Amino acid sequence: MHIFYTPDISKNTYTLNEEESKHCVRVLRLSKGTVVNLVDGIGGFYTAEIIDDHPKKVTLSVLNVEREFHKRNHYLHIAVAPTKNIDRLEWFLEKATELGIDEITPIITDRSERRIVKDDRLNKVITAAVKQSIKAYHPKLNEAISFDDFLKQPFDGERLIAHCIQDAEKKFISDLAVPHQKYLILIGPEGDFTPEEVGLALNKGFKPLTLGENRLRTETAALSVCFEINYLNR
């Protein structure tokens, strides 16, 4: 199954951009008459036929479209401190997209190892994972924002913060998350959130979360949360 990401599709015919056209014709060796699939990132899953296999502007004719393709019964937003090694953040984005996630926000905390995040490359990682895992919904990647400013943003749903401060009262996701809701979960940097940051989040209505006794890397903790939320809403 060959899938192309076409976020601007709006008519019964569509022309791939030059990069995608070259990939279609010269890499995948697809030609006129081949049936492929398109996804628009907002739930549309299209079946289309190649009607012009020009290597710089492949044109497709839409044969069928399914709306809300594999729409999930919950909404998951993970705000995570970007890792010093960007490959680890890319790994999280890829795997979280495959599992199912709706929104990601890089948050810059007091102990963040990385304070600059380039969205273009990360969005390409997400798009590739969308196509690989046959998703019709493209997760939203927000611009990096400071922890304090992020807490000022409104969110209508369940809010959790995972932290490692000892002797603090915390609960597991299974004890906190009500199925089929909107969730916003905060994951800190390798050095964890500061006590002051945890206090700010708790004052904003976030509930303290534990991910168990094991010490996890940032991207592992974030992916663990993603898996558990999707498992609870299966």
Side-chain angles (χ1 to χ4, degrees):
M1 179 184 293
H2 299 291
I3 298 180
F4 297 90
Y5 178 51
T6 56
D8 55 344
I9 188 170
S10 61
K11 299 179 180 179
N12 290 329
T13 58
Y14 184 84
T15 301
L16 298 178
N17 62 35
E18 185 172 343
E19 181 180 358
E20 285 280 55
S21 293
K22 287 181 180 178
H23 182 71
C24 176
V25 176
R26 293 178 176 170
V27 178
L28 299 177
R29 304 289 185 181
L30 304 182
S31 58
K32 185 176 179 180
T34 302
V35 175
V36 299
N37 294 112
L38 316 174
V39 292
D40 60 12
I42 54 173
F45 184 84
Y46 302 75
T47 301
E49 179 183 354
I50 297 175
I51 58 175
D52 185 350
D53 55 9
H54 191 287
K56 290 188 178 182
K57 49 179 181 179
V58 171
T59 303
L60 305 137
S61 175
V62 175
L63 305 176
N64 183 58
V65 58
E66 296 180 58
R67 301 294 181 186
E68 297 187 345
F69 181 75
H70 291 176
K71 184 177 182 179
R72 302 185 313 133
N73 60 12
H74 61 286
Y75 189 95
L76 175 58
H77 181 179
I78 294 181
V80 55
T83 53
K84 182 178 182 180
N85 183 340
I86 198 64
D87 290 346
R88 288 162 49 195
L89 179 61
E90 291 178 3
W91 177 86
F92 161 68
L93 293 175
E94 178 185 72
K95 301 310 176 187
T97 300
E98 292 176 7
L99 288 174
I101 192 170
D102 300 282
E103 190 171 354
I104 308 103
T105 301
I107 49 173
I108 309 304
T109 69
D110 286 347
R111 295 172 178 166
S112 284
E113 299 174 292
R114 173 179 288 273
R115 296 181 176 275
I116 298 176
V117 179
K118 296 181 179 179
D119 297 345
D120 290 348
R121 168 60 187 168
L122 298 182
N123 266 311
K124 287 181 179 179
V125 170
I126 293 172
T127 299
V130 164
K131 295 191 289 184
Q132 189 278 330
S133 56
I134 316 177
K135 295 284 194 297
Y137 291 90
H138 192 290
K140 179 183 179 183
L141 176 65
N142 298 313
E143 293 184 358
I145 186 174
S146 72
F147 181 80
D148 289 352
D149 287 342
F150 183 77
L151 289 185
K152 296 175 185 177
Q153 297 181 349
F155 180 80
D156 181 20
E158 296 195 47
R159 292 169 290 178
L160 310 176
I161 178 171
H163 68 82
C164 303
I165 297 175
Q166 295 183 353
D167 300 325
E169 182 179 352
K170 292 172 282 186
K171 294 184 178 180
F172 290 98
I173 286 181
S174 56
D175 298 320
L176 294 171
V178 178
H180 314 319
Q181 301 294 320
K182 289 184 177 181
Y183 312 94
L184 169 57
I185 303 179
L186 307 180
I187 303 294
E190 294 296 326
D192 199 15
F193 292 114
T194 65
E196 291 76 17
E197 288 171 333
V198 172
L200 285 173
L202 296 182
N203 287 336
K204 289 289 186 178
F206 282 81
K207 298 176 182 177
L209 171 67
T210 178
L211 300 179
E213 297 299 322
N214 296 325
R215 185 167 63 178
L216 305 177
R217 287 184 177 274
T218 295
E219 72 276 14
T220 308
L223 191 65
S224 172
V225 163
C226 183
F227 174 82
E228 290 193 60
I229 289 293
N230 279 287
Y231 181 78
L232 289 171
N233 286 278
R234 66 194 186 280

